[in-house]
Amino acid sequence: ITTKAKAEGAALVMKSVSCFGCLFLTRCRWFVTIISMTMVGGYPEKGAPIEANFAVTAFGISQLVYALVFTTIMYRKGRSSIGGIHWPMTIESMNNPYSDKGAKNK
């Protein structure tokens, strides 16, 4: 199995776990109260608003977990390979119609 497939698989599993965990926590009243007090500016005496819904935030956090796991695995594999990661020094294209060089050559 290639490294990319392993990274995709591990990242998908972690995304699912984090999404489930975040969605579970957003259903807990105490957690929503803490989030609303610290992030949204709620008041401790009122508690969390009834209409508070952080489901979109849960999916966003799980997507960040996916990106972090995938990038970490791919980066570690690249660093451990012979010669390490080779970053390009410059990328020049003569056929770029949006560059100043391309406009001058026409």
Side-chain angles (χ1 to χ4, degrees):
I1 299 176
T2 66
T3 303
K4 185 176 179 186
K6 290 178 186 176
E8 288 274 352
L12 252 155
V13 168
M14 291 307 296
K15 179 181 178 180
S16 301
V17 169
S18 66
C19 189
F20 177 77
C22 287
L23 286 173
F24 175 76
L25 285 175
T26 58
R27 301 293 295 164
C28 299
R29 192 93 172 119
W30 61 270
F31 184 77
V32 174
T33 300
I34 291 171
I35 294 297
S36 66
M37 285 188 317
T38 57
M39 303 301 274
V40 183
Y43 300 100
E45 62 272 2
K46 293 182 182 178
I50 299 298
E51 69 276 355
N53 187 353
F54 294 101
V56 173
T57 305
F59 285 104
I61 290 171
S62 66
Q63 188 63 34
L64 289 173
V65 168
Y66 175 88
L68 181 66
V69 170
F70 181 80
T71 304
T72 302
I73 292 172
M74 293 301 287
Y75 184 77
R76 287 182 65 199
K77 175 63 176 175
R79 292 286 293 175
S80 67
S81 65
I82 297 173
I85 298 174
H86 298 286
W87 303 103
M89 295 298 172
T90 59
I91 299 174
E92 293 185 23
S93 174
M94 298 301 292
N95 298 328
N96 186 354
Y98 301 107
S99 71
D100 291 337
K101 293 177 185 176
K104 291 178 186 175
N105 291 337
K106 287 186 177 183

